[in-house]
């Protein structure tokens, strides 16, 4: 493959498009955009219909901005990837900031992005109640769109590539996800909705054993195995929230399964009555 010239004029460098999906986050988006400037040849922002100044701010920072009514996480992410100029794509959210070390590592790797089948993961660390948490996670964020698509899921939408097959980048992606307890509860409610809906759609049954075992197991994992006991009240709070998360997903899955069984029961009963030439006045 021949080398290319990026839109910033660096010969021998494969250009990268940074893609951000946004919604009412004018407070944080500028840091996310600016943290990509060292390595990104363009920044594409897909706005879901913000009521604040998110769009205007992104435009003032020389981003290419598209407004697309919110279709869901995976579809919105794919919408942005499709509108990128370049095939190498870096995914970032409005509440994330690329560390200097990570930005430099990506920049140094640009001349070597000759293999479209290669994908790169990075280490993301989040914050809670004013403290950074030591235990993070590796996420695939840099990849070639001609090789991989976005996983079609209601939640946790990322490139369809296994993380263990990727190259790990140096540096950290700082996830400034904590706003307030109220906001955290509201987002947990939304994410557990999506998690339960995804499980229900895939035919996953509700199991009482999971509801009894997963929440305490999650607490032990987060608080002790991941070392959150070292983070004081912040670490304890995160561990408790994960217990809540597991309970909410479990109960919501139970609710979906129960409502589905009730709907099937009613439909079957109605079908039997109609087969007998009768019609229940209760459903008219």
């Amino acid at each position: 493959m021949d080398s290319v010239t990026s839109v910033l004029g660096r010969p021998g460098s494969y250009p990268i498009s940074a893609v951000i999906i946004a919604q009412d986050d004018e407070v944080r988006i500028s840091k996310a955009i600016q943290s990509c400037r060292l390595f990104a040849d363009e920044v594409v922002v897909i706005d879901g219909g913000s009521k604040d100044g998110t769009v205007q701010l992104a435009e003032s920072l020389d981003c290419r901005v598209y407004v697309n009514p919110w279709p869901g996480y995976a579809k919105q992410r794919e919408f942005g990837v499709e509108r990128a100029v370049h095939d190498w794509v870096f995914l970032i959210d409005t509440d994330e900031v690329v560390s200097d070390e990570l930005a430099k590592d990506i920049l140094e790797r640009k001349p070597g992005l000759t293999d479209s089948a290669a994908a790169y993961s990075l280490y993301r660390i989040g914050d809670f109640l004013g403290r950074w948490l030591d235990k993070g996670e590796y996420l695939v964020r840099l990849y070639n769109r001609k090789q991989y698509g976005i996983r079609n899921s209601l939640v946790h939408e990322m490139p369809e590539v296994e993380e263990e097959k990727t190259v790990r980048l140096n540096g950290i992606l700082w996830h400034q996800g904590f706003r307030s307890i109220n906001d955290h509860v509201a987002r947990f409610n939304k994410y557990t909705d999506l998690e339960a809906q995804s499980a229900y759609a895939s035919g996953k049954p509700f199991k009482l054993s999971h509801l009894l075992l997963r929440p305490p197991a999650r607490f032990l994992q987060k608080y002790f195995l991941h070392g959150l006991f070292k983070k004081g009240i912040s670490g304890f709070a995160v561990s408790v929230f994960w217990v809540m998360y597991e309970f909410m997903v479990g109960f919501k899955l139970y609710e979906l399964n129960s409502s589905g069984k009730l709907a099937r029961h009613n439909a079957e009963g109605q079908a039997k009555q109609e087969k007998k030439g009768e019609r229940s006045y209760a459903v008219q």
Side-chain angles (χ1 to χ4, degrees):
M1 182 183 293
D2 295 332
S3 64
V4 296
T5 301
S6 79
V7 294
L8 293 183
R10 290 192 290 270
S13 179
Y14 287 82
I16 295 173
S17 295
V19 177
I20 305 175
I21 58 174
Q23 183 77 46
D24 295 315
D25 209 357
E26 64 178 357
V27 175
R28 294 171 179 77
I29 193 171
S30 61
K31 287 185 177 180
I33 293 170
Q34 299 290 10
S35 71
C36 297
R37 290 300 188 191
L38 183 65
F39 63 86
D41 299 275
E42 68 161 352
V43 178
V44 180
V45 175
I46 308 301
D47 186 84
S50 294
K51 304 301 182 183
D52 62 3
T54 298
V55 170
Q56 294 76 11
L57 180 58
E59 290 176 338
S60 72
L61 294 173
D62 296 323
C63 299
R64 291 200 299 115
V65 182
Y66 297 87
V67 176
N68 186 51
W70 185 252
Y73 286 101
K75 291 183 179 179
Q76 191 77 320
R77 191 84 69 179
E78 190 64 48
F79 182 90
V81 171
E82 290 172 353
R83 276 146 190 81
V85 171
H86 309 298
D87 291 331
W88 281 98
V89 174
F90 180 80
L91 303 178
I92 183 172
D93 292 334
T94 56
D95 57 4
E96 296 174 338
V97 176
V98 178
S99 69
D100 291 343
E101 182 184 4
L102 177 57
K104 291 177 182 178
D105 189 34
I106 297 174
L107 178 66
E108 292 173 357
R109 291 178 187 271
K110 287 180 71 173
L113 296 178
T114 57
D115 182 6
S116 63
Y120 299 83
S121 63
L122 49 76
Y123 196 60
R124 186 178 75 161
I125 294 179
D127 68 330
F128 198 86
L129 288 174
R131 298 193 67 172
W132 290 108
L133 307 176
D134 294 333
K135 182 67 176 180
E137 57 185 341
Y138 277 97
L139 300 171
V140 179
R141 290 297 186 87
L142 178 61
Y143 71 105
N144 192 299
R145 65 179 178 182
K146 286 188 174 180
Q147 188 73 28
Y148 304 106
I150 298 295
R151 183 183 298 114
N152 186 20
S153 59
L154 294 176
V155 66
H156 306 314
E157 78 300 338
M158 280 296 133
E160 194 71 61
V161 52
E162 298 177 13
E163 190 277 324
E164 57 267 22
K165 296 182 179 179
T166 66
V167 177
R168 290 184 172 180
L169 296 167
N170 298 315
I172 295 172
L173 182 69
W174 300 107
H175 182 209
Q176 300 173 324
F178 181 80
R179 280 81 159 171
S180 66
I181 295 296
N182 282 338
D183 175 78
H184 206 71
V185 171
R187 283 190 290 153
F188 256 41
N189 191 43
K190 178 175 66 175
Y191 294 150
T192 52
D193 273 350
L194 297 174
E195 189 91 33
Q197 290 166 14
S198 179
Y200 179 71
S202 65
K204 183 177 181 180
F206 166 80
K207 292 184 178 181
L208 181 59
S209 59
H210 286 180
L211 186 64
L212 295 174
L213 297 176
R214 289 180 66 90
R218 183 68 77 180
F219 180 86
L220 294 175
Q221 177 198 46
K222 294 295 180 180
Y223 196 65
F224 293 107
L225 186 60
H226 292 177
L228 289 181
F229 65 90
K230 302 175 184 177
K231 295 296 181 177
I233 191 65
S234 297
F236 181 74
V238 170
S239 303
V240 170
F241 268 113
W242 272 108
V243 172
M244 292 172 55
Y245 189 95
E246 293 292 350
F247 269 123
M248 291 170 72
V249 170
F251 280 123
K252 287 179 179 181
L253 179 58
Y254 172 79
E255 182 181 40
L256 289 171
N257 276 293
S258 297
S259 60
K261 289 178 181 178
L262 179 61
R264 288 193 296 271
H265 172 76
N266 291 339
E268 290 170 0
Q270 182 178 341
K272 289 179 180 179
Q273 293 296 324
E274 292 178 349
K275 188 175 182 180
K276 295 178 181 179
E278 303 174 359
R279 185 170 181 84
S280 172
Y281 288 100
V283 297
Q284 293 182 346

